[in-house]
Amino acid sequence: KSIIHSIALWNNDYNEMIKNETCLSTLRKYINNSQSGTITITQDKLSNILGFTRESINKNLKKLESEGFIKLERSKISKL
């Protein structure tokens, strides 16, 4: 039971990491492909367009902001 439990936990962590990296790379591409320096969009709308949960979008947008890639404002994403 202990080994199975450990494998299940590892698998969940790995799947979450892969999902977040995919979300992160998808967000980078979406932002890079934008024609303007500022994208006016809600996180909810962005999650519907890209096919990720709003929570994943939020988490990864904040990561991009902390890296200095973007600046977040209410319903706006500005490329830096």
Side-chain angles (χ1 to χ4, degrees):
K1 184 175 178 180
S2 177
I3 292 172
I4 292 172
H5 182 70
S6 296
I7 291 170
L9 288 176
W10 177 86
N11 191 43
N12 287 340
D13 290 344
Y14 178 78
N15 286 336
E16 186 65 26
M17 180 187 72
I18 295 298
K19 184 174 82 174
N20 285 333
E21 285 303 313
T22 303
C23 182
L24 185 63
S25 62
T26 303
L27 278 169
R28 281 187 193 275
K29 288 177 191 172
Y30 183 83
I31 293 164
N32 279 331
N33 290 334
S34 170
Q35 298 298 319
S36 67
T38 300
I39 303 166
T40 303
I41 192 167
T42 65
Q43 291 181 12
D44 193 47
K45 178 86 170 173
L46 192 55
S47 72
N48 288 331
I49 291 169
L50 300 180
F52 295 96
T53 64
R54 195 190 62 70
E55 292 80 8
S56 291
I57 294 292
N58 179 272
K59 179 180 176 179
N60 286 286
L61 283 173
K62 288 183 185 218
K63 182 173 182 153
L64 290 173
E65 185 175 43
S66 73
E67 293 173 359
F69 184 71
I70 59 170
K71 180 178 184 216
L72 295 174
E73 297 178 58
R74 186 172 183 86
S75 299
K76 290 184 184 177
I77 303 167
S78 300
K79 291 191 276 187
L80 298 179

